[in-house]
Amino acid sequence: MTALPSAPAQTEGARLSLIAQGLTGSSVVESRRRADRLAEQGVRILDLGAGEPDFSAPPVVVEAAMQALRDGNGQYVDPRGLVALRERIADMETTRHGHPVTPDQVVVTTGSFGALSIACRAILDPGDEVLIPEPFWGPYRNLVQMSGGVAVPVPAEAIDGRFSFPGEALAERITARTRAIVINSPNNPTGRVLSPAELRAVADLALAHDLWIVADEVYGELVFGDAVHRSVATLGPEVARRTIIVNSLSKTFAMTGWRLGYSIARPDVATVLARMNHYSVRCPTSFVQQAAVTAFDSGWQAVEEMRQSYLGRGQLVARRLARLPGVRFAPPEGTFYAFPRIPEAWGDGTIFAARLLDEAGVLASAGRSYGASAAQHLRFSFATSTAVLDEAFDRIERLVGVAP
Ligand SMILES: Cc1ncc(COP(=O)(O)O)c(C=O)c1O
């Protein structure tokens, strides 16, 4: 995330760890707090900053959670996760993603945050480096740091507002300390889906340099048009062996606050991840796991309806962005984000995001939060109603005008 001040260095008393002292705050959280303060003063904020669905979990899933509670299912469960759930996840991965997985490869976690956290701790020793292609979801950096690792952002280039995957730059940054590459497709914030050739390039680097691939696939079900979500693990057993997939029900089933995710790795690695899960959280919430079984059994219709809705909203945002003077962008191939490049005349993304909030009451995320090479961009989330999106872009047009 943008370099906010880290925790103040402690000079006396029992001291915090150096890792804790080095941890920075999130600029995204900061701007949300500022929006909340403006809302308290009576400003009607239009929220295009949210990184989560505006839908609720499918009713059948809510009912399953309540039934599980009524049935008294509130005890600890196996730190790997419920067998029935691991079976559903393995089956889903095999049938929907063409990646043959068995339940002993699956570990149920507290969201993909939990999956990423145990993955980092499982593969990193102090000082080990993790390559993170820009633009990237900010918390990767912090999660790597919390595990004692060193996050190495890899700058990317945007042509006409569309970011290319920085394959060559990635290769140039490999050192003797490099342990892993993090990839995220479909990508937050760009909405891009990695092509088979780009996935192959990552796999080849990992094979050549004995690296792990941490593949964040949380937006895998949210792809549009011709875009196809492919897991890097489908490129062959030798690639799958060094890949740790992280995923969750958060975006797929609109269950962000339920905190349920999973990792998929080869069985011996999954055993280690399950131990780490055990000593981190004991197990993710038992009745949420039961509800998740129902999500995989009966939630797909709802997922498709949400996807259709995001598709329409994404098209609306693309139409509205095309009217803004000097703005360059690539229509999103997946996720619920658009990531346009704004003209230099408006200031950089951070300056313009602050102006948008203060002068138009529109909350968007500054590109700098996703890496230095994205500083001229803004992330607009379209996980909100078309009415809010239209009003937000009306306000933006009043601020910057319309292209001739
Ligand atoms: C790319 C990406 N990965 C992971 C997460 C974490 O999601 P969760 O822990 O809810 O699965 C998010 C949330 O915004 C995200 O955008």
Side-chain angles (χ1 to χ4, degrees), residues 310-387:
Y310 295 131
L311 169 65
R313 295 159 174 196
Q315 288 167 340
L316 184 158
V317 168
R319 281 196 303 276
R320 298 301 304 253
L321 283 173
R323 286 163 56 92
L324 299 179
V327 167
R328 299 276 171 271
F329 70 98
E333 299 162 336
T335 75
F336 35 68
Y337 307 113
F339 200 56
R341 182 184 174 88
I342 58 166
E344 272 83 7
W346 299 1
D348 69 6
T350 305
I351 291 169
F352 190 68
R355 231 189 116 198
L356 262 188
L357 187 57
D358 290 341
E359 296 177 33
V362 174
L363 178 61
S365 311
R368 184 70 183 73
S369 314
Y370 307 93
S373 55
Q376 202 55 37
H377 290 247
L378 277 187
R379 191 193 76 173
F380 292 109
S381 162
F382 45 89
T384 186
S385 71
T386 51

Side-chain angles (χ1 to χ4, degrees), residues 146-367:
M146 269 172 54
S147 303
V150 178
V152 181
V154 180
E157 208 187 329
I159 296 167
D160 260 349
R162 184 178 202 268
F163 274 94
S164 314
F165 186 73
E168 279 175 27
L170 212 54
E172 284 161 12
R173 278 167 179 75
I174 292 177
T175 72
R177 295 308 304 263
T178 309
R179 288 287 164 273
I181 304 172
V182 176
I183 55 170
N184 170 218
S185 175
N187 178 272
N188 173 8
T190 62
R192 267 211 62 195
V193 174
L194 289 180
S195 69
E198 289 165 332
L199 291 173
R200 185 74 248 172
V202 172
D204 287 346
L205 278 182
L207 290 169
H209 299 273
D210 249 331
L211 308 178
W212 291 98
I213 303 170
V214 178
D216 179 340
E217 302 184 358
V218 295
Y219 295 97
E221 303 304 326
L222 298 180
V223 289
F224 312 127
D226 296 337
V228 177
H229 165 63
R230 286 185 198 80
S231 175
V232 69
T234 59
L235 295 185
E238 72 291 356
V239 183
R241 278 183 60 71
R242 56 182 65 248
T243 300
I244 301 177
I245 293 174
V246 303
N247 206 333
S248 79
L249 281 75
S250 291
K251 320 287 173 172
T252 308
F253 293 102
M255 291 171 63
T256 46
W258 296 57
R259 309 309 304 130
L260 203 72
Y262 49 92
S263 41
I264 299 175
R266 59 176 208 246
D268 60 320
V269 175
T271 300
V272 172
L273 293 174
R275 277 182 207 143
M276 298 214 152
N277 210 29
H278 185 169
Y279 301 124
S280 304
V281 297
R282 178 56 182 84
C283 61
T285 311
S286 55
F287 54 89
V288 171
Q289 294 196 46
Q290 297 220 315
V293 170
T294 301
F296 284 108
D297 284 346
S298 313
W300 291 106
Q301 173 68 24
V303 172
E304 177 54 17
E305 284 164 16
M306 291 188 272
R307 193 189 69 84
Q308 288 291 344
S309 176
Y310 295 131
L311 169 65
R313 295 159 174 196
Q315 288 167 340
L316 184 158
V317 168
R319 281 196 303 276
R320 298 301 304 253
L321 283 173
R323 286 163 56 92
L324 299 179
V327 167
R328 299 276 171 271
F329 70 98
E333 299 162 336
T335 75
F336 35 68
Y337 307 113
F339 200 56
R341 182 184 174 88
I342 58 166
E344 272 83 7
W346 299 1
D348 69 6
T350 305
I351 291 169
F352 190 68
R355 231 189 116 198
L356 262 188
L357 187 57
D358 290 341
E359 296 177 33
V362 174
L363 178 61
S365 311

Side-chain angles (χ1 to χ4, degrees), residues 388-400:
V388 166
L389 291 170
D390 263 326
E391 190 180 341
F393 279 95
D394 287 347
R395 291 188 190 182
I396 296 171
E397 285 184 6
R398 281 200 288 276
L399 202 61
V400 298

